[in-house]
Short mmCIF file of all heavy atoms in Angstrom, two decimals:
data_model
loop_
_atom_site.label_atom_id
_atom_site.label_comp_id
_atom_site.label_asym_id
_atom_site.label_seq_id
_atom_site.Cartn_x
_atom_site.Cartn_y
_atom_site.Cartn_z
N LYS A 1 -12.02 9.29 7.93
CA LYS A 1 -12.32 9.45 6.51
C LYS A 1 -11.40 8.56 5.67
O LYS A 1 -10.25 8.32 6.04
CB LYS A 1 -12.12 10.91 6.10
CG LYS A 1 -13.09 11.88 6.73
CD LYS A 1 -12.62 13.32 6.58
CE LYS A 1 -12.52 13.73 5.13
NZ LYS A 1 -12.08 15.14 4.99
N ASN A 2 -11.91 8.13 4.53
CA ASN A 2 -11.07 7.41 3.58
C ASN A 2 -9.89 8.28 3.17
O ASN A 2 -10.05 9.49 2.97
CB ASN A 2 -11.88 7.03 2.33
CG ASN A 2 -12.79 5.84 2.57
OD1 ASN A 2 -12.48 4.96 3.37
ND2 ASN A 2 -13.93 5.81 1.89
N CYS A 3 -8.73 7.67 3.06
CA CYS A 3 -7.53 8.41 2.64
C CYS A 3 -7.70 8.90 1.21
O CYS A 3 -7.98 8.10 0.30
CB CYS A 3 -6.30 7.51 2.74
SG CYS A 3 -4.80 8.27 2.11
N PRO A 4 -7.55 10.20 0.95
CA PRO A 4 -7.73 10.72 -0.42
C PRO A 4 -6.64 10.26 -1.37
O PRO A 4 -6.80 10.32 -2.58
CB PRO A 4 -7.69 12.24 -0.22
CG PRO A 4 -6.89 12.45 1.02
CD PRO A 4 -7.20 11.28 1.90
N PHE A 5 -5.51 9.80 -0.82
CA PHE A 5 -4.40 9.38 -1.67
C PHE A 5 -4.55 7.95 -2.19
O PHE A 5 -4.08 7.63 -3.28
CB PHE A 5 -3.08 9.49 -0.90
CG PHE A 5 -2.74 10.89 -0.49
CD1 PHE A 5 -3.01 11.33 0.79
CD2 PHE A 5 -2.15 11.77 -1.38
CE1 PHE A 5 -2.70 12.63 1.18
CE2 PHE A 5 -1.84 13.06 -1.02
CZ PHE A 5 -2.12 13.50 0.27
N CYS A 6 -5.18 7.07 -1.39
CA CYS A 6 -5.20 5.66 -1.80
C CYS A 6 -6.60 5.06 -1.87
O CYS A 6 -6.74 3.86 -2.07
CB CYS A 6 -4.32 4.83 -0.86
SG CYS A 6 -4.93 4.74 0.85
N SER A 7 -7.65 5.87 -1.69
CA SER A 7 -9.00 5.28 -1.74
C SER A 7 -9.36 4.92 -3.18
O SER A 7 -9.02 5.65 -4.12
CB SER A 7 -10.04 6.24 -1.14
OG SER A 7 -10.23 7.36 -1.97
N ARG A 8 -10.03 3.80 -3.33
CA ARG A 8 -10.42 3.29 -4.65
C ARG A 8 -11.90 2.86 -4.59
O ARG A 8 -12.43 2.59 -3.50
CB ARG A 8 -9.57 2.08 -5.03
CG ARG A 8 -8.07 2.35 -5.09
CD ARG A 8 -7.68 3.17 -6.31
NE ARG A 8 -6.22 3.34 -6.39
CZ ARG A 8 -5.56 4.35 -5.86
NH1 ARG A 8 -6.22 5.29 -5.17
NH2 ARG A 8 -4.25 4.45 -5.99
N PRO A 9 -12.57 2.77 -5.75
CA PRO A 9 -13.95 2.26 -5.75
C PRO A 9 -14.03 0.88 -5.10
O PRO A 9 -13.11 0.06 -5.25
CB PRO A 9 -14.30 2.19 -7.24
CG PRO A 9 -13.42 3.23 -7.87
CD PRO A 9 -12.13 3.20 -7.08
N ASP A 10 -15.12 0.64 -4.35
CA ASP A 10 -15.25 -0.60 -3.57
C ASP A 10 -16.63 -1.22 -3.80
O ASP A 10 -17.51 -1.13 -2.94
CB ASP A 10 -15.03 -0.29 -2.09
CG ASP A 10 -15.04 -1.54 -1.23
OD1 ASP A 10 -14.74 -2.63 -1.76
OD2 ASP A 10 -15.37 -1.43 -0.04
N PRO A 11 -16.85 -1.88 -4.95
CA PRO A 11 -18.15 -2.49 -5.24
C PRO A 11 -18.55 -3.54 -4.21
O PRO A 11 -19.74 -3.77 -3.97
CB PRO A 11 -17.95 -3.13 -6.62
CG PRO A 11 -16.73 -2.47 -7.20
CD PRO A 11 -15.88 -2.09 -6.04
N ALA A 12 -17.57 -4.20 -3.58
CA ALA A 12 -17.87 -5.26 -2.61
C ALA A 12 -18.56 -4.72 -1.37
O ALA A 12 -19.10 -5.50 -0.57
CB ALA A 12 -16.58 -5.97 -2.21
N ALA A 13 -18.57 -3.41 -1.19
CA ALA A 13 -19.20 -2.83 0.01
C ALA A 13 -20.72 -2.76 -0.11
O ALA A 13 -21.41 -2.56 0.89
CB ALA A 13 -18.66 -1.42 0.25
N GLU A 14 -21.24 -2.93 -1.33
CA GLU A 14 -22.68 -2.74 -1.50
C GLU A 14 -23.56 -3.80 -0.83
O GLU A 14 -24.53 -3.46 -0.15
CB GLU A 14 -23.03 -2.67 -3.00
CG GLU A 14 -24.51 -2.37 -3.22
CD GLU A 14 -24.84 -2.03 -4.67
OE1 GLU A 14 -23.92 -1.70 -5.43
OE2 GLU A 14 -26.03 -2.09 -5.01
N PRO A 15 -23.26 -5.12 -0.96
CA PRO A 15 -24.16 -6.12 -0.34
C PRO A 15 -24.40 -5.91 1.15
O PRO A 15 -25.56 -5.91 1.59
CB PRO A 15 -23.43 -7.45 -0.63
CG PRO A 15 -22.67 -7.18 -1.88
CD PRO A 15 -22.21 -5.76 -1.78
N PRO A 16 -23.37 -5.72 2.01
CA PRO A 16 -23.66 -5.51 3.43
C PRO A 16 -24.42 -4.22 3.69
O PRO A 16 -25.19 -4.12 4.66
CB PRO A 16 -22.27 -5.47 4.09
CG PRO A 16 -21.30 -5.23 3.00
CD PRO A 16 -21.90 -5.82 1.78
N LEU A 17 -24.24 -3.21 2.82
CA LEU A 17 -24.95 -1.94 3.01
C LEU A 17 -26.45 -2.06 2.75
O LEU A 17 -27.24 -1.29 3.27
CB LEU A 17 -24.35 -0.86 2.11
CG LEU A 17 -23.13 -0.12 2.67
CD1 LEU A 17 -22.42 0.66 1.58
CD2 LEU A 17 -23.54 0.81 3.79
N ARG A 18 -26.82 -3.05 1.92
CA ARG A 18 -28.25 -3.24 1.64
C ARG A 18 -29.02 -3.56 2.91
O ARG A 18 -30.18 -3.20 3.06
CB ARG A 18 -28.44 -4.37 0.62
CG ARG A 18 -27.97 -4.01 -0.78
CD ARG A 18 -28.31 -5.13 -1.76
NE ARG A 18 -27.53 -4.99 -2.99
CZ ARG A 18 -26.92 -5.97 -3.61
NH1 ARG A 18 -26.99 -7.21 -3.08
NH2 ARG A 18 -26.26 -5.79 -4.71
N GLU A 19 -28.36 -4.27 3.85
CA GLU A 19 -29.01 -4.61 5.12
C GLU A 19 -29.35 -3.37 5.94
O GLU A 19 -30.21 -3.40 6.82
CB GLU A 19 -28.11 -5.53 5.95
CG GLU A 19 -27.80 -6.86 5.29
CD GLU A 19 -26.87 -7.70 6.15
OE1 GLU A 19 -26.88 -7.50 7.39
OE2 GLU A 19 -26.14 -8.53 5.60
N TYR A 20 -28.67 -2.28 5.65
CA TYR A 20 -28.90 -1.03 6.40
C TYR A 20 -29.67 -0.02 5.56
O TYR A 20 -29.62 1.18 5.81
CB TYR A 20 -27.56 -0.44 6.84
CG TYR A 20 -26.84 -1.32 7.82
CD1 TYR A 20 -25.88 -2.24 7.39
CD2 TYR A 20 -27.13 -1.28 9.19
CE1 TYR A 20 -25.23 -3.07 8.29
CE2 TYR A 20 -26.49 -2.11 10.09
CZ TYR A 20 -25.54 -3.00 9.63
OH TYR A 20 -24.90 -3.81 10.52
N GLY A 21 -30.39 -0.50 4.53
CA GLY A 21 -31.27 0.37 3.76
C GLY A 21 -30.55 1.29 2.80
O GLY A 21 -30.91 2.47 2.67
N LEU A 22 -29.50 0.75 2.13
CA LEU A 22 -28.69 1.57 1.23
C LEU A 22 -29.54 2.33 0.21
O LEU A 22 -29.47 3.56 0.12
CB LEU A 22 -27.67 0.68 0.51
CG LEU A 22 -26.94 1.30 -0.69
CD1 LEU A 22 -26.07 2.45 -0.24
CD2 LEU A 22 -26.10 0.25 -1.41
N HIS A 23 -30.33 1.62 -0.55
CA HIS A 23 -31.06 2.25 -1.66
C HIS A 23 -32.20 3.13 -1.16
O HIS A 23 -32.49 4.17 -1.76
CB HIS A 23 -31.56 1.18 -2.63
CG HIS A 23 -30.44 0.44 -3.31
ND1 HIS A 23 -29.63 1.02 -4.25
CD2 HIS A 23 -29.97 -0.83 -3.13
CE1 HIS A 23 -28.72 0.14 -4.65
NE2 HIS A 23 -28.91 -0.99 -3.99
N GLU A 24 -32.83 2.73 -0.06
CA GLU A 24 -33.89 3.58 0.52
C GLU A 24 -33.30 4.92 0.99
O GLU A 24 -33.89 5.99 0.76
CB GLU A 24 -34.55 2.88 1.70
CG GLU A 24 -35.37 1.64 1.35
CD GLU A 24 -34.51 0.38 1.19
OE1 GLU A 24 -33.27 0.47 1.26
OE2 GLU A 24 -35.10 -0.70 0.99
N LEU A 25 -32.14 4.85 1.63
CA LEU A 25 -31.48 6.08 2.07
C LEU A 25 -31.06 6.94 0.89
O LEU A 25 -31.22 8.16 0.90
CB LEU A 25 -30.25 5.74 2.91
CG LEU A 25 -30.45 5.53 4.40
CD1 LEU A 25 -29.15 5.02 5.03
CD2 LEU A 25 -30.85 6.83 5.07
N ALA A 26 -30.50 6.29 -0.14
CA ALA A 26 -30.05 7.02 -1.32
C ALA A 26 -31.22 7.74 -1.99
O ALA A 26 -31.08 8.86 -2.47
CB ALA A 26 -29.36 6.07 -2.30
N GLU A 27 -32.37 7.07 -2.00
CA GLU A 27 -33.55 7.69 -2.61
C GLU A 27 -34.09 8.83 -1.74
O GLU A 27 -34.43 9.91 -2.22
CB GLU A 27 -34.64 6.62 -2.80
CG GLU A 27 -35.87 7.14 -3.51
CD GLU A 27 -36.90 6.05 -3.72
OE1 GLU A 27 -36.56 4.86 -3.56
OE2 GLU A 27 -38.06 6.39 -4.01
N LYS A 28 -34.13 8.59 -0.43
CA LYS A 28 -34.68 9.59 0.50
C LYS A 28 -33.83 10.86 0.52
O LYS A 28 -34.37 11.97 0.60
CB LYS A 28 -34.74 8.99 1.91
CG LYS A 28 -35.35 9.92 2.96
CD LYS A 28 -35.42 9.22 4.32
CE LYS A 28 -36.00 10.14 5.38
NZ LYS A 28 -36.06 9.46 6.71
N TYR A 29 -32.51 10.69 0.44
CA TYR A 29 -31.61 11.85 0.53
C TYR A 29 -30.92 12.13 -0.79
O TYR A 29 -29.77 12.58 -0.82
CB TYR A 29 -30.58 11.61 1.64
CG TYR A 29 -31.20 11.49 3.00
CD1 TYR A 29 -31.27 10.26 3.66
CD2 TYR A 29 -31.76 12.60 3.64
CE1 TYR A 29 -31.86 10.15 4.91
CE2 TYR A 29 -32.35 12.48 4.89
CZ TYR A 29 -32.39 11.26 5.52
OH TYR A 29 -32.97 11.15 6.76
N ALA A 30 -31.63 11.89 -1.89
CA ALA A 30 -31.05 12.13 -3.22
C ALA A 30 -30.49 13.54 -3.39
O ALA A 30 -29.43 13.72 -4.01
CB ALA A 30 -32.10 11.85 -4.30
N PRO A 31 -31.15 14.60 -2.85
CA PRO A 31 -30.58 15.96 -3.01
C PRO A 31 -29.20 16.12 -2.39
O PRO A 31 -28.45 17.02 -2.78
CB PRO A 31 -31.61 16.85 -2.29
CG PRO A 31 -32.89 16.07 -2.31
CD PRO A 31 -32.48 14.64 -2.18
N LEU A 32 -28.85 15.24 -1.41
CA LEU A 32 -27.54 15.34 -0.77
C LEU A 32 -26.49 14.46 -1.45
O LEU A 32 -25.34 14.43 -1.03
CB LEU A 32 -27.65 14.93 0.70
CG LEU A 32 -28.62 15.74 1.57
CD1 LEU A 32 -28.70 15.14 2.97
CD2 LEU A 32 -28.17 17.20 1.65
N LEU A 33 -26.92 13.75 -2.50
CA LEU A 33 -26.01 12.82 -3.20
C LEU A 33 -25.90 13.23 -4.66
O LEU A 33 -26.48 12.60 -5.56
CB LEU A 33 -26.53 11.38 -3.10
CG LEU A 33 -26.68 10.81 -1.68
CD1 LEU A 33 -27.43 9.49 -1.70
CD2 LEU A 33 -25.32 10.63 -1.03
N GLU A 34 -25.15 14.28 -4.91
CA GLU A 34 -25.05 14.82 -6.26
C GLU A 34 -24.47 13.81 -7.25
O GLU A 34 -24.85 13.79 -8.42
CB GLU A 34 -24.17 16.08 -6.25
CG GLU A 34 -24.79 17.23 -5.45
CD GLU A 34 -23.88 18.44 -5.40
OE1 GLU A 34 -22.79 18.39 -6.01
OE2 GLU A 34 -24.26 19.44 -4.76
N GLU A 35 -23.53 12.99 -6.80
CA GLU A 35 -22.88 12.02 -7.69
C GLU A 35 -23.44 10.61 -7.53
O GLU A 35 -22.85 9.64 -8.00
CB GLU A 35 -21.37 12.02 -7.44
CG GLU A 35 -20.73 13.37 -7.73
CD GLU A 35 -19.23 13.35 -7.50
OE1 GLU A 35 -18.67 12.25 -7.31
OE2 GLU A 35 -18.63 14.43 -7.52
N GLY A 36 -24.58 10.49 -6.87
CA GLY A 36 -25.17 9.18 -6.68
C GLY A 36 -24.39 8.33 -5.70
O GLY A 36 -23.66 8.84 -4.86
N ILE A 37 -24.53 7.00 -5.83
CA ILE A 37 -23.82 6.08 -4.93
C ILE A 37 -22.38 5.93 -5.38
O ILE A 37 -22.10 5.59 -6.53
CB ILE A 37 -24.53 4.71 -4.91
CG1 ILE A 37 -25.95 4.86 -4.33
CG2 ILE A 37 -23.73 3.70 -4.10
CD1 ILE A 37 -26.76 3.58 -4.36
N SER A 38 -21.44 6.21 -4.48
CA SER A 38 -20.00 6.13 -4.80
C SER A 38 -19.28 5.51 -3.61
O SER A 38 -18.79 6.21 -2.73
CB SER A 38 -19.45 7.53 -5.09
OG SER A 38 -18.05 7.48 -5.28
N LEU A 39 -19.23 4.18 -3.57
CA LEU A 39 -18.60 3.47 -2.44
C LEU A 39 -17.10 3.37 -2.67
O LEU A 39 -16.65 2.96 -3.74
CB LEU A 39 -19.22 2.07 -2.31
CG LEU A 39 -20.74 2.03 -2.20
CD1 LEU A 39 -21.23 0.60 -2.13
CD2 LEU A 39 -21.21 2.81 -0.99
N ARG A 40 -16.32 3.73 -1.64
CA ARG A 40 -14.86 3.73 -1.77
C ARG A 40 -14.22 3.17 -0.51
O ARG A 40 -14.85 3.11 0.55
CB ARG A 40 -14.33 5.15 -2.03
CG ARG A 40 -14.84 5.77 -3.32
CD ARG A 40 -14.28 7.16 -3.53
NE ARG A 40 -12.86 7.15 -3.87
CZ ARG A 40 -12.37 6.94 -5.07
NH1 ARG A 40 -13.19 6.73 -6.09
NH2 ARG A 40 -11.07 6.95 -5.29
N ARG A 41 -12.97 2.78 -0.63
CA ARG A 41 -12.21 2.25 0.51
C ARG A 41 -10.73 2.56 0.29
O ARG A 41 -10.21 2.42 -0.81
CB ARG A 41 -12.41 0.74 0.63
CG ARG A 41 -11.63 0.09 1.78
CD ARG A 41 -11.86 -1.41 1.81
NE ARG A 41 -13.26 -1.72 2.03
CZ ARG A 41 -13.82 -1.80 3.23
NH1 ARG A 41 -13.09 -1.61 4.32
NH2 ARG A 41 -15.10 -2.08 3.36
N GLY A 42 -10.05 2.99 1.38
CA GLY A 42 -8.62 3.24 1.30
C GLY A 42 -7.84 1.93 1.30
O GLY A 42 -8.13 1.03 2.10
N GLU A 43 -6.85 1.81 0.42
CA GLU A 43 -6.06 0.58 0.32
C GLU A 43 -4.89 0.57 1.30
O GLU A 43 -4.33 -0.48 1.59
CB GLU A 43 -5.54 0.41 -1.11
CG GLU A 43 -6.66 0.21 -2.14
CD GLU A 43 -6.12 0.06 -3.55
OE1 GLU A 43 -4.96 0.49 -3.79
OE2 GLU A 43 -6.84 -0.48 -4.41
N GLY A 44 -4.49 1.75 1.77
CA GLY A 44 -3.32 1.85 2.65
C GLY A 44 -2.12 2.37 1.88
O GLY A 44 -1.79 1.84 0.81
N CYS A 45 -1.49 3.43 2.40
CA CYS A 45 -0.33 4.02 1.73
C CYS A 45 0.50 4.76 2.78
O CYS A 45 0.06 4.90 3.93
CB CYS A 45 -0.77 4.98 0.61
SG CYS A 45 -1.58 6.48 1.22
#
């Protein structure tokens, strides 16, 4: 899991995720995504 202490929003993660059906998955499983798309990455701490 991303570290809760140092994880930050990660917009750069979206382009590679599109190859794996990011938006189709987000639409299909919208009830499980209360806050919508929220890509994050731990910076290290």
Side-chain angles (χ1 to χ4, degrees):
K1 294 165 62 179
N2 283 329
C3 174
F5 297 98
C6 65
S7 70
R8 301 287 184 269
D10 184 25
E14 184 169 342
L17 275 166
R18 290 186 197 135
E19 298 178 26
Y20 295 94
L22 167 65
H23 295 290
E24 293 83 355
L25 272 173
E27 184 179 346
K28 183 178 179 180
Y29 296 108
L32 301 175
L33 300 170
E34 295 178 1
E35 298 181 10
I37 296 176
S38 175
L39 306 177
R40 298 181 71 82
R41 179 181 298 275
E43 295 179 340
C45 68

